Amino acid sequence: MVTEIVVIIILLITLLILILLLGGKKPRPAGEEMMIREEDSPEEKPFGTRCPLCKEWLNRGERVHSHLFSGKPDGLMHIFGCPHCYSEETGEGKLKRYCPYCGEPLGPEDYVIARVFEKPGKTQVHVLGCTICREKR
Ligand SMILES: [Zn+2]
Ligand SMILES: [Zn+2]
């Protein structure tokens, strides 16, 4: 009889742990997800921490090389690549660059064109295409 009681107790404890694990996830307060970190300037990190051309994750301090042409209501941006896939001297890096829009591999002279929407508190970047696929259209 004693072993049966022990088994029942163990089962009850397992059940309790399961209930705690499943029910323990409280819904996050709505305001929490809206918090955007302001310390990084939007121009430096328009794509979060991943290079849009080679998809390499960027470390702190590494940034995507780009030229911003401010305009109203929105500007244009030429994106060349990150330190992993682009160098200002040769136009090429260790990793191959691909257009996020058409997927074509980019040559040393090619770059990606994006539209930049300046919104209060953040900058939104919308990729239009690269020098290869933009010319075809
Ligand atoms: Zn890159
Ligand atoms: Zn393209």
Side-chain angles (χ1 to χ4, degrees), residues 18-27:
L18 274 175
I19 289 167
L20 281 174
L21 280 175
L22 294 173
K25 283 183 199 154
K26 281 184 217 120

Side-chain angles (χ1 to χ4, degrees), residues 61-112:
E62 288 179 337
R63 49 166 295 177
V64 174
H65 182 73
S66 61
H67 287 305
L68 180 65
F69 303 93
S70 314
K72 275 182 180 159
D74 42 69
L76 271 182
M77 191 186 254
H78 290 176
I79 306 159
F80 297 89
C82 71
H84 302 275
C85 62
Y86 179 81
S87 119
E88 268 180 82
E89 291 96 65
T90 62
E92 276 175 316
K94 273 178 270 144
L95 294 169
K96 196 98 190 76
R97 299 181 299 151
Y98 294 94
C99 168
Y101 191 88
C102 68
E104 284 289 322
L106 303 182
E109 307 287 313
D110 296 315
Y111 52 86
V112 163

Side-chain angles (χ1 to χ4, degrees), residues 24-37:
K25 283 183 199 154
K26 281 184 217 120
R28 290 163 100 216
E32 205 177 306
E33 280 179 53
M34 297 305 288
M35 270 168 58
I36 296 157
R37 283 162 66 227

